[in-house]
């Protein structure tokens, strides 16, 4: 292109495209090569009088093309993974070996009350756990990275959100293969736990009443839509 050298062309191209770019030049130096790579080229090769170097050029072109295709496949996989990660239906996070949360989906953002920017790469998972549960969870975190099969993959713990609200959580967690990262899914079971506790209290109250009723008496109470029948005999 008139008035534009290869390096400037690479800069312009990188503004809109990631197509492989090899700078093939008759003049060059280490300084030119460094500038060219900084501009975004994929490879750099100087022309030579020996025609055999065309074989090397062809090899480098194939290598650059294969690398570009691999990167596109990886990008596609990452986009699909991110879509699944964001739409699992439960709060989900990626945890690093140092306990930092590196990724958090929108459900976790809602559960915690913090923004994604406040969480990712900044907050450790320990910030969201009540003090009484920290020690046992820290042991599981370490064990999981030594022997993942020996660590628990499901258990309950108490979660603390931004406002200090404590929530009961059912945790599902495992290691991501060939990494030191783990992926955790957090299901809020606070309401079911509260309902379970109310039912337990109701049953206990019924049992206490039963113990106070003289033998042989029948007590019947009906309050639509609920009914309670207590029998003793």
């Amino acid at each position: 292109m008139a008035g534009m050298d290869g390096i400037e062309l690479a800069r312009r191209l990188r503004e809109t495209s990631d197509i492989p770019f090899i700078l093939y030049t008759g003049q060059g130096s280490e300084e030119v090569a460094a500038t060219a790579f900084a501009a975004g080229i994929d490879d750099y090769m100087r022309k030579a009088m020996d025609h055999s170097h065309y074989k090397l050029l062809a090899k480098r072109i194939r290598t650059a093309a294969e690398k570009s295709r691999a990167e596109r496949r990886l990008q596609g996989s990452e986009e699909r993974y991110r879509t699944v990660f964001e739409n699992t239906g439960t709060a989900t996070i990626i945890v690093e070996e140092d306990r930092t949360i590196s990724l958090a989906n929108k459900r976790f953002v809602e559960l915690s009350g913090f923004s994604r920017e406040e969480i990712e790469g900044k907050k450790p998972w320990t910030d969201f756990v009540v003090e009484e549960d920290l020690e046992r969870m820290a042991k599981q975190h370490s064990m999981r990275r030594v022997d993942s099969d020996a660590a628990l993959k499901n258990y309950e713990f108490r979660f603390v959100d931004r406002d200090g609200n404590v929530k009961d959580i059912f945790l599902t967690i495992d290691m991501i293969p060939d990494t030191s990262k783990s992926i955790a899914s957090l299901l809020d079971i606070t309401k079911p736990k509260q309902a379970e506790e109310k039912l337990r209290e109701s049953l206990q109250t019924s049992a206490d009443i039963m113990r106070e009723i003289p033998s042989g008496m029948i007590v019947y109470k009906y309050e639509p839509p609920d009914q309670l029948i207590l029998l003793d005999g």
Side-chain angles (χ1 to χ4, degrees), residues 127-172:
D127 282 4
F128 301 99
V129 180
V130 298
E131 186 176 353
E132 294 81 2
D133 292 344
L134 272 175
E135 183 177 354
R136 67 183 176 90
M137 291 186 69
K139 287 180 180 179
Q140 291 296 320
H141 177 88
S142 299
M143 184 186 302
R144 190 169 292 108
R145 282 153 180 79
V146 174
D147 183 359
S148 62
D149 291 333
L152 295 175
K153 291 180 171 53
N154 303 101
Y155 58 88
E156 294 181 20
F157 77 97
R158 288 164 295 172
F159 181 97
V160 185
D161 68 13
R162 182 173 202 146
D163 297 323
N165 299 311
V166 177
K167 303 174 183 180
D168 292 298
I169 297 296
F170 182 78
L171 179 71
T172 300

Side-chain angles (χ1 to χ4, degrees), residues 13-141:
L13 183 65
R14 284 295 172 257
E15 291 176 359
T16 58
S17 173
D18 59 357
I19 188 173
F21 190 108
I22 297 175
L23 185 61
Y24 183 56
T25 178
Q27 299 179 350
S29 64
E30 291 184 2
E31 182 179 353
V32 171
T35 302
F37 279 110
I41 70 167
D42 294 275
D43 204 350
Y44 172 88
M45 187 171 176
R46 292 186 62 179
K47 295 178 181 178
M49 296 298 295
D50 184 0
H51 292 297
S52 64
H53 83 286
Y54 288 120
K55 291 183 179 180
L56 177 59
L57 175 61
K59 182 179 179 181
R60 291 193 176 184
I61 292 172
R62 286 194 298 270
T63 298
E66 289 169 1
K67 178 183 176 183
S68 178
R69 285 194 291 268
E71 288 175 347
R72 288 176 183 273
R73 287 194 297 270
L74 178 60
Q75 183 179 6
S77 297
E78 289 176 345
E79 289 175 354
R80 288 191 294 273
Y81 169 77
R82 186 77 191 199
T83 299
V84 172
F85 181 79
E86 281 294 336
N87 296 280
T88 59
T90 58
T92 306
I93 56 175
I94 302 294
V95 177
E96 301 295 325
E97 187 172 8
D98 66 359
R99 304 183 182 183
T100 302
I101 297 172
S102 55
L103 282 177
N105 72 355
K106 58 186 177 184
R107 291 285 184 151
F108 187 86
V109 168
E110 294 168 359
L111 179 70
S112 69
F114 289 89
S115 68
R116 197 187 302 269
E117 292 72 25
E118 291 175 306
I119 298 169
E120 293 182 345
K122 298 174 183 176
K123 282 192 170 294
W125 60 261
T126 51
D127 282 4
F128 301 99
V129 180
V130 298
E131 186 176 353
E132 294 81 2
D133 292 344
L134 272 175
E135 183 177 354
R136 67 183 176 90
M137 291 186 69
K139 287 180 180 179
Q140 291 296 320
H141 177 88

